[in-house]
Amino acid sequence: MIELKSAEEIGRMAVAGQFVGELLAELSGVAAVGVNLMDLEHHARRRIKERGAESCYWDYAPSFGRGPFRNVLCLSVNDAVLHGLPRDYVLREGDLLSIDMAAGIDGWVADSAISVIIGTPDPADLKLIEATEVALEAGITAAQPGGRLGDISAAIGEVAHSYGYGVNTEFGGHGIGRTMHEAPHIPNHGRARRGMKLEPGVTIAIEPWFCRSTDRVKVDDDGWTIRSADGSRTAHSEHTVAITASGPQVLTRRPPDPLSRP
């Protein structure tokens, strides 16, 4: 069942969204050569506690993971793209890092992800991140009241193929609101004008993620970290979006990055 949110409830989600967006921007600035992934994890834990928020990841135990998850961030490096466990790893020159987080404030949740390059970027990595960001904006633009869920999926898939990337549909976007993962599932490839009708009050997380040279993935022995099957690099972008009568409203927009990083 999909719960339509009122304008007041969307406003409460936006409070969580602003916090998530600001913290992701902060973390992307902290991430640098020589920084340990656990430093980022503990930085986020501290900020969440200071804000009086709750992590949606801590103790999360879905069917696809080896739960419970005992971190507040997913930190995925290079060929890892989703659900990366924070660990004792020091970031190196040229690493591609994806940071994903979801948090709730006063019972309402927001979810977002960003990919950044540590140090000097490889042009191929910049292109990969750009593709996820362009696809995310295309998916958001397609999330119009009166449209269909397939419009979002088709828009994302079209961008992926225009950049020369395949699309994996095992993991994608999802409904969100009172909890992190709600109906519906939103594949990153699909057919326009198909699927559920998008009505004002629908709230979703749109999250394109691509691997450089494959559409297949594998799971680490930790039961969580998802990697490209061929070891190629990956990137991931995500925003929480509300469908309103006047169009899509992004609830997790980040403030401008002071370091002007991609």
Side-chain angles (χ1 to χ4, degrees), residues 64-134:
F64 57 78
R66 185 180 299 163
F69 197 85
R70 288 296 175 88
N71 297 280
V72 303
L73 298 176
C74 289
L75 298 173
S76 305
V77 181
N78 295 334
D79 62 330
V81 64
L82 298 171
H83 311 156
L85 285 174
R87 56 193 171 90
D88 183 16
Y89 175 84
V90 175
L91 290 167
R92 305 169 184 169
E93 181 75 20
D95 277 345
L96 198 166
L97 172 67
S98 296
I99 310 172
D100 190 357
M101 71 163 290
I105 295 176
D106 296 329
W108 294 94
V109 170
D111 188 4
S112 188
I114 186 173
S115 291
V116 297
I117 296 172
I118 307 303
T120 304
D122 181 320
D125 290 340
L126 288 177
K127 176 186 173 185
L128 185 61
I129 293 174
E130 177 184 278
T132 66
E133 293 175 342
V134 172

Side-chain angles (χ1 to χ4, degrees), residues 3 6 38-39 70 134 194 204:
E3 177 189 12
S6 67
M38 292 308 300
D39 294 336
R70 288 296 175 88
V134 172
R194 298 294 180 93
I204 53 179

